[in-house]
Amino acid sequence: MRLSRYFLPILRETPKEAEIVSHRLMLRAGMIRQEAAGIYAWLPLGLRVLNKVCDVVRAEQDRAGAIEILMPTIQAADLWRESGRYEAYGKEMLRLKDRHERELLYGPTAEEVVTEIFRASTRSYKDLPKNLYQISWKFRDEVRPRFGTMRSREFLMKDGYSFDIDQAAARHSYNKVFVSYLRTFERLGLRAIPMRADTGPIGGDLSHEFIILAKTGESEVFCDQAYLDMPVPPPSVDFDDVAGLQGVVDAWTSHYAATDEMHDEAVFAEVPEASRLSARGIEVGHIFYFGTKYSTPMKAVVTGPDGSERPVHMGSYGIGPSRLVAATIEASHDEAGIIWPDAIAPFDVALINLKVGDGACDTACAEIQAALETAGLSVLYDDRDERPGAKFATADLIGLPWQVIVGPKGLAEGKIELKRRASGERETLDPVDLPARIRRL
Amino acid sequence: MRLSRYFLPILRETPKEAEIVSHRLMLRAGMIRQEAAGIYAWLPLGLRVLNKVCDVVRAEQDRAGAIEILMPTIQAADLWRESGRYEAYGKEMLRLKDRHERELLYGPTAEEVVTEIFRASTRSYKDLPKNLYQISWKFRDEVRPRFGTMRSREFLMKDGYSFDIDQAAARHSYNKVFVSYLRTFERLGLRAIPMRADTGPIGGDLSHEFIILAKTGESEVFCDQAYLDMPVPPPSVDFDDVAGLQGVVDAWTSHYAATDEMHDEAVFAEVPEASRLSARGIEVGHIFYFGTKYSTPMKAVVTGPDGSERPVHMGSYGIGPSRLVAATIEASHDEAGIIWPDAIAPFDVALINLKVGDGACDTACAEIQAALETAGLSVLYDDRDERPGAKFATADLIGLPWQVIVGPKGLAEGKIELKRRASGERETLDPVDLPARIRRL
């Protein structure tokens, strides 16, 4: 993509309203634009990152056997009356009426709709287990939305829902998602630590928040350092292996890890001092088993092996891609701008032409772009008529993993420069060696 | 994908509320489920088709140089006051208020938001032309929603918006989209005919509806048969070639073609009788040049080469993927069910095991599934314990392009059966020849 034809509205000034670094950088890098309080448009660069996050989330859901659907954003109030949540939900639910004065709402979550879909079609334990998920826009009418897409009113959420015949089966479904989330965050370049979360009136131990560590995190967290280099299961992990998955989950919950809310200083004190880590964290995923909380009132029942009907056991599982984009920036940036992990970078390479209009530079850049794209790499080619300093600043700000710098001096010797954004390391090489060099990482 | 693990809630009964064949078939094939009047959930099979349609739409937009963004579903009423449309829009606009009583709306379209995004960043004619598009959910509060996803209240729309310095440049932007739409429909397996549409108070001839012919179409259309086999430009078409694109558009508007609304019987009578075609049609795309209608009141101005400011010339361009799924079924079905064009089929192959539990059949099916998937084909494997008749009926209903039928008799001779859904043609072949045979088409 040539930058002259792209739409990348970089801001020179740091926007005053942005309180946290990810919000500032997303605005400055032309990734998003606020259209109303807590409501953002995703501009081309931001949308590419968001889509890459979704691709990873989707691939790992599919690998774990979950099946994708897409529920509507607008839901009927009557369905929420069946579960008893319509009145209970409070002001965060955006309620509305259509032209016939029928009560509707913009879904903040979809337990009711998915339970309706399930109960309309599924009759027998033989059709279980099922895990249905969607990646779709939700709305929560936060009283004071801020922090950009970290806590926006309209936000993208992958929400999945599992259906099982009993609690033991539901636990396996829960474990599948637990492991799929470990893999998802690993692929996104993030180390997320599962921490026990409050299960409220349901009780039990089947609720975890996945937390990434970041200096600017929203809450204090306490955990054992052991989590920082615990191995994540490989792609070949067998999601049908009940005992095997339980073993992974046991290992990943064997050490201390708690958010402020669930923290127990006395238990934490038992962790060897050198292993104790207290830091700030950002919640990037939440999984929850809630038994028959919805299936009983909404009559989502199946026939068991004995012929009798029983309500299904359910769980729900969330990851917020629009929040993850911001959280990744909180965890990966420097003074100059964003540092994208390779997996979700909007483009792989920033190709910088230091002298647009110079025949040799223009030709070399066109050839390099073609060669990199042929090698399967995506390139944002800065072909604007700007001074080098502005181009370097833009490249650092938008944080593509690699910068390829092409100038007349180097070209005279048949060389171009390659810079790794994260480390700042530079090397000089022959243009023909570029694709192999970048692929090597 | 194994059907036993999938979520395909086939309906045995024809739903009474469905008035048109696409709505009936989408419900029966478990593609969608109605959650409220005119509001549908997309179930796994339907979502796969919808995503394939979007993939084609997106690829052709990108090829034509349009740039993807994503605007929010919820928009501020104040922005629509700037254009004067907030009061004018009427009851089809879903209006709502948030917890602070601020007026919002669920966007039925996005001219105002995209104009706001453009004017916030673009200052010079040097940054033009631009075409920004999104594929996103819209809401129109139809008084009597019906016909399933053909005319739903919540619907998916690709809406694009072009920005140019003057009318001549805007015409080229219009032509780019015109040609990209020809290519899009061709790839979707549809023959769409551009018909002049009413331009209202703007005037001029720069508005076209793209219409596909279907017996069950919503409106009467009249055109020259010449359109039925007019060639569509190849992928290599040069979208920067102003004269070349104008030539394509001229050719595709040189013969008579009009909807009921714009029909002129006297002009139609001049078409040679053998070429006159009157039929029923479904609108699947609409493109429109509207000059400075929004840029003037909303002050979306750029500096021209002479240094003076002027409002940009805009156009908007829509294709409805959720409508296209239904329209394709209207144009391609038979008594037994849907007949998907290869490009948007939810899976390429229905693999039918006639005797689940039979060692030879199970092994052969597993091998065939693996071989087809290795060859890049997607497979829905009917591994359910059902009688053959039910499996054949399901396969015909959901309309995958190929059926591979594996039974003990054939296998005893090393053979399986291949059926082409569209023609009903069958052939017997060795399983190892399958991938090459299917790919050959």
Side-chain angles (χ1 to χ4, degrees):
Chain A
M1 174 61 67
R2 282 170 175 263
L3 191 44
S4 62
R5 293 183 161 220
Y6 204 50
F7 185 72
L8 184 71
I10 298 283
L11 302 185
R12 273 168 234 285
E13 310 285 311
T14 296
K16 281 177 211 139
E17 75 274 21
E19 298 173 47
I20 59 173
V21 66
S22 59
H23 191 192
R24 282 196 295 273
L25 288 173
M26 288 176 77
L27 289 169
R28 283 191 53 214
M31 291 177 61
I32 54 170
R33 178 167 177 80
Q34 180 171 308
E35 294 301 325
I39 299 179
Y40 295 87
W42 289 75
L43 305 183
L45 198 76
L47 182 59
R48 285 181 74 101
V49 178
L50 187 63
N51 285 340
K52 287 209 167 185
V53 170
C54 290
D55 288 346
V56 171
V57 169
R58 182 176 285 121
E60 292 301 328
Q61 288 303 299
D62 293 347
R63 188 197 306 279
I67 301 166
E68 190 173 4
I69 63 175
L70 184 59
M71 294 177 267
T73 59
I74 300 296
Q75 306 178 3
D78 280 346
L79 207 51
W80 286 66
R81 292 208 170 88
E82 287 190 42
S83 71
R85 285 210 293 180
Y86 188 64
E87 304 306 334
Y89 209 92
K91 289 202 161 190
E92 287 199 356
M93 180 189 280
L94 190 65
R95 295 154 207 263
L96 48 119
K97 286 184 180 167
D98 71 8
R99 64 192 297 165
H100 302 298
E101 296 292 316
R102 282 178 296 217
E103 289 174 295
L104 301 169
L105 58 98
Y106 197 123
T109 176
E111 281 82 1
E112 283 78 2
V113 176
V114 80
T115 302
E116 194 283 330
I117 289 170
F118 176 87
R119 77 179 176 194
S121 67
T122 310
R123 302 272 171 265
S124 164
Y125 73 98
K126 291 180 191 163
D127 298 321
L128 302 182
K130 284 284 179 276
N131 181 330
L132 303 177
Y133 78 97
Q134 66 174 348
I135 300 177
S136 74
W137 293 89
K138 314 284 190 292
F139 201 97
R140 278 185 202 156
D141 200 0
E142 305 266 358
V143 62
R144 222 169 288 104
R146 50 183 196 163
F147 302 150
T149 69
M150 185 78 88
R151 200 176 180 88
S152 50
R153 292 200 289 172
E154 189 168 327
F155 61 99
L156 190 60
M157 178 68 78
K158 173 253 134 182
D159 44 327
Y161 306 89
S162 63
F163 302 87
D164 283 282
I165 186 66
D166 56 27
Q167 189 175 349
R171 174 160 210 124
H172 180 53
S173 290
Y174 183 93
N175 289 347
K176 284 186 191 175
V177 181
F178 189 107
V179 172
S180 77
Y181 277 24
L182 290 177
R183 287 198 38 76
T184 300
F185 296 120
E186 171 98 340
R187 281 183 60 181
L188 292 174
L190 299 168
R191 166 71 22 157
I193 301 167
M195 303 197 181
R196 259 180 66 180
D198 190 10
T199 51
I202 304 285
D205 61 350
L206 285 181
S207 180
H208 288 89
E209 292 178 4
F210 288 77
I211 307 274
I212 63 167
L213 306 182
K215 279 184 199 132
T216 52
E218 62 206 340
S219 62
E220 217 175 345
V221 298
F222 307 86
C223 71
D224 193 312
Q225 299 241 26
Y227 284 115
L228 297 186
D229 42 33
M230 193 171 280
V232 165
S236 59
V237 61
D238 180 0
F239 282 95
D240 292 331
D241 175 1
V242 175
L245 280 203
Q246 187 63 54
V248 174
V249 172
D250 288 346
W252 273 89
T253 52
S254 60
H255 300 284
Y256 189 86
T259 58
D260 209 3
E261 226 181 356
M262 301 286 284
H263 183 51
D264 183 331
E265 195 60 43
V267 182
F268 191 48
E270 291 167 22
V271 176
E273 194 169 354
S275 286
R276 267 179 244 158
L277 180 65
S278 70
R280 300 202 67 84
I282 301 171
E283 184 201 324
V284 289
H286 194 161
I287 63 178
F288 196 61
Y289 161 75
F290 45 71
T292 62
K293 180 180 173 187
Y294 298 94
S295 56
T296 296
M298 294 186 69
K299 300 187 180 59
V301 298
V302 295
T303 310
D306 61 358
S308 72
E309 282 190 341
R310 60 193 75 177
V312 288
H313 286 247
M314 294 174 58
S316 73
Y317 314 96
I319 283 185
S322 51
R323 158 170 267 242
L324 263 172
V325 173
T328 301
I329 295 173
E330 292 291 332
S332 183
H333 67 272
D334 63 15
E335 284 301 305
I338 301 165
I339 301 170
W340 289 117
D342 294 273
I344 60 171
F347 294 89
D348 299 309
V349 177
L351 173 60
I352 299 171
N353 185 339
L354 292 181
K355 200 168 179 185
V356 172
D358 175 275
C361 287
D362 292 354
T363 304
C365 283
E367 286 171 3
I368 289 168
Q369 180 179 9
L372 292 173
E373 288 177 352
T374 301
L377 295 158
S378 54
V379 178
L380 185 62
Y381 169 25
D382 192 343
D383 62 339
R384 297 171 306 163
D385 185 16
E386 287 269 8
R387 61 191 171 78
K391 294 193 175 192
F392 293 140
T394 296
D396 281 351
L397 174 62
I398 67 175
L400 308 186
W402 299 98
Q403 296 174 13
V404 172
I405 300 148
V406 179
K409 272 191 201 165
L411 276 187
E413 293 163 21
K415 299 291 182 191
I416 49 115
E417 196 176 25
L418 177 67
K419 175 183 159 186
R420 180 77 175 158
R421 172 67 179 93
S423 63
E425 280 175 73
R426 293 160 183 275
E427 57 190 287
T428 302
L429 69 170
D430 193 302
V432 298
D433 297 328
L434 253 184
R437 171 64 192 88
I438 291 178
R439 273 276 163 244
R440 204 173 69 209
L441 189 91
Chain B
M1 174 62 67
R2 281 170 176 263
L3 191 44
S4 62
R5 293 183 161 220
Y6 204 50
F7 185 72
L8 184 72
I10 298 284
L11 301 185
R12 273 167 234 285
E13 310 285 311
T14 295
K16 281 177 213 141
E17 75 275 21
E19 298 173 48
I20 60 173
V21 67
S22 60
H23 191 192
R24 282 197 295 273
L25 288 173
M26 288 176 77
L27 289 169
R28 282 192 53 214
M31 291 178 61
I32 54 170
R33 178 167 177 80
Q34 180 172 308
E35 293 302 325
I39 299 179
Y40 295 87
W42 289 76
L43 304 183
L45 198 77
L47 182 59
R48 286 180 74 101
V49 179
L50 187 63
N51 285 340
K52 288 210 166 185
V53 170
C54 290
D55 288 346
V56 171
V57 169
R58 183 176 284 122
E60 292 301 329
Q61 287 303 298
D62 292 347
R63 188 196 306 280
I67 301 166
E68 190 173 4
I69 63 174
L70 183 58
M71 294 177 267
T73 60
I74 300 297
Q75 306 177 3
D78 280 345
L79 207 51
W80 287 66
R81 292 207 171 88
E82 287 189 42
S83 71
R85 284 209 293 180
Y86 187 64
E87 304 305 334
Y89 209 92
K91 289 202 160 189
E92 287 199 356
M93 181 189 281
L94 190 65
R95 295 155 208 263
L96 48 119
K97 286 183 180 168
D98 70 9
R99 64 193 297 166
H100 302 297
E101 296 292 317
R102 282 177 297 217
E103 289 174 295
L104 301 169
L105 58 97
Y106 197 123
T109 176
E111 281 82 1
E112 283 78 2
V113 176
V114 80
T115 302
E116 194 283 330
I117 289 170
F118 176 86
R119 77 179 176 194
S121 68
T122 310
R123 301 272 171 266
S124 164
Y125 74 97
K126 291 180 191 163
D127 298 322
L128 302 181
K130 283 284 178 277
N131 182 330
L132 302 177
Y133 79 97
Q134 65 174 348
I135 300 177
S136 74
W137 292 89
K138 313 285 191 290
F139 200 97
R140 278 185 203 156
D141 199 1
E142 304 266 358
V143 62
R144 222 169 290 104
R146 49 183 196 163
F147 302 150
T149 68
M150 185 78 89
R151 200 176 180 87
S152 50
R153 293 200 290 172
E154 189 169 328
F155 61 99
L156 190 59
M157 178 67 78
K158 173 253 133 182
D159 44 328
Y161 306 89
S162 63
F163 302 87
D164 284 281
I165 186 66
D166 56 27
Q167 189 175 349
R171 174 159 210 125
H172 181 52
S173 290
Y174 183 92
N175 289 347
K176 283 186 192 175
V177 181
F178 189 108
V179 172
S180 77
Y181 277 24
L182 290 177
R183 286 199 38 76
T184 300
F185 296 120
E186 171 98 338
R187 281 184 60 181
L188 292 173
L190 299 168
R191 166 74 17 160
I193 301 167
M195 304 198 181
R196 258 179 67 179
D198 191 10
T199 51
I202 305 285
D205 62 351
L206 285 181
S207 179
H208 287 90
E209 291 177 4
F210 288 77
I211 306 273
I212 64 166
L213 306 182
K215 278 184 201 134
T216 52
E218 62 206 341
S219 62
E220 217 174 345
V221 297
F222 307 86
C223 71
D224 193 312
Q225 300 241 26
Y227 284 116
L228 298 185
D229 41 34
M230 193 171 281
V232 165
S236 59
V237 61
D238 179 1
F239 282 95
D240 291 331
D241 176 0
V242 175
L245 280 203
Q246 187 62 55
V248 174
V249 172
D250 288 345
W252 273 89
T253 53
S254 60
H255 300 284
Y256 189 87
T259 58
D260 209 3
E261 226 180 357
M262 301 287 284
H263 183 51
D264 184 331
E265 195 60 44
V267 182
F268 191 48
E270 291 166 22
V271 176
E273 194 168 356
S275 286
R276 266 179 244 159
L277 181 65
S278 69
R280 299 202 68 83
I282 301 171
E283 184 200 326
V284 289
H286 194 162
I287 63 178
F288 196 61
Y289 161 75
F290 45 72
T292 63
K293 180 180 173 188
Y294 298 94
S295 56
T296 296
M298 294 186 69
K299 300 187 179 58
V301 298
V302 295
T303 310
D306 61 358
S308 72
E309 282 191 341
R310 61 193 76 178
V312 289
H313 286 247
M314 294 175 58
S316 74
Y317 313 96
I319 283 185
S322 51
R323 158 170 267 243
L324 264 171
V325 173
T328 301
I329 295 173
E330 292 291 332
S332 183
H333 67 272
D334 63 15
E335 284 300 305
I338 301 165
I339 301 170
W340 289 116
D342 294 272
I344 60 170
F347 294 89
D348 299 308
V349 177
L351 173 60
I352 299 171
N353 185 340
L354 293 181
K355 200 167 180 187
V356 172
D358 175 274
C361 286
D362 292 354
T363 304
C365 283
E367 286 171 3
I368 289 168
Q369 179 179 10
L372 292 173
E373 288 177 352
T374 301
L377 295 158
S378 54
V379 178
L380 185 62
Y381 170 25
D382 192 343
D383 62 339
R384 297 171 305 162
D385 185 17
E386 287 270 8
R387 61 191 172 78
K391 294 192 176 194
F392 294 140
T394 296
D396 280 351
L397 174 62
I398 67 175
L400 308 186
W402 299 97
Q403 296 174 14
V404 172
I405 300 147
V406 179
K409 272 191 200 166
L411 276 187
E413 292 162 22
K415 299 290 182 191
I416 49 114
E417 196 176 25
L418 177 68
K419 175 183 158 185
R420 179 77 175 158
R421 172 67 179 92
S423 62
E425 280 174 74
R426 293 160 183 275
E427 57 191 286
T428 301
L429 69 170
D430 193 301
V432 298
D433 298 328
L434 252 184
R437 170 66 191 87
I438 291 178
R439 273 276 164 245
R440 205 173 67 210
L441 189 91

